[in-house]
Amino acid sequence: MAWFRRQDPGDFPKSDAGSGSLNDYRFDLTPKNRRVRIRLAGSDPHQDLLRDLVGVEGVTTAGGQRTIEEERSDAPIQVRLFVERRIVGPVGTVPRGLEPPVLDALGRLEKSGKPARIPVEVLETKNGVRVELLVGETL
């Protein structure tokens, strides 16, 4: 049996720990408004890849629901991006504790017949390039 180490917020420097709050979601995990975002953690190693994506329109997450094996091992959600008909990444992970709203958004998109892709904005910040999931736009 393989043992997997849980990702701890301390695994990333403070400037790359990601951000978001469960307070931005209703009881059923739907975002309270269209401005709700989640900033990915662990983007520092991917700066070269991300720098080329700053300001690019139409970027979304690539991939859908987690596999049974990923659920079983409680693996962090690695995020890849779909950009101009190609998949790039991984570019970071969903911060611990914010996986349920992301998985709910993907499920909501699939149930409505839309592609299971959450819109993304790639931003230049004083601490480097960061990736934000625009979860509020999945309503």
Side-chain angles (χ1 to χ4, degrees):
M1 175 183 221
W3 291 95
F4 295 91
R5 190 171 142 243
R6 281 185 66 119
Q7 172 191 352
D8 186 291
D11 287 349
F12 300 109
K14 187 175 181 179
S15 63
D16 192 28
S19 64
S21 173
L22 287 176
N23 291 332
D24 293 334
Y25 301 89
R26 294 185 178 90
F27 181 73
D28 63 354
L29 295 179
T30 58
K32 288 183 179 177
N33 60 57
R34 295 187 62 81
R35 296 182 313 270
V36 174
R37 295 171 172 238
I38 294 174
R39 181 170 287 181
L40 296 183
S43 294
D44 279 350
H46 313 290
Q47 293 298 294
D48 291 338
L49 173 77
L50 291 171
R51 219 169 267 111
D52 295 336
L53 302 178
V54 173
V56 174
E57 297 290 322
V59 179
T60 62
T61 59
Q65 299 286 6
R66 293 169 61 150
T67 65
I68 293 172
E69 185 59 35
E70 288 170 328
E71 284 294 329
R72 189 177 304 127
S73 67
D74 195 27
I77 298 176
Q78 292 279 328
V79 176
R80 289 172 169 40
L81 301 179
F82 187 73
V83 183
E84 299 171 345
R85 295 190 213 153
R86 62 187 170 98
I87 296 176
V88 297
V91 295
T93 61
V94 174
R96 277 290 178 195
L98 294 172
E99 297 98 335
V102 170
L103 295 174
D104 184 71
L106 292 170
R108 212 174 35 255
L109 289 167
E110 285 180 7
K111 287 178 187 172
S112 68
K114 298 176 183 173
R117 296 186 177 136
I118 299 172
V120 169
E121 186 173 7
V122 181
L123 307 165
E124 180 79 44
T125 71
K126 67 180 181 179
N127 295 312
V129 182
R130 299 293 178 242
V131 178
E132 293 191 352
L133 304 182
L134 308 178
V135 183
E137 293 187 17
T138 63
L139 289 173

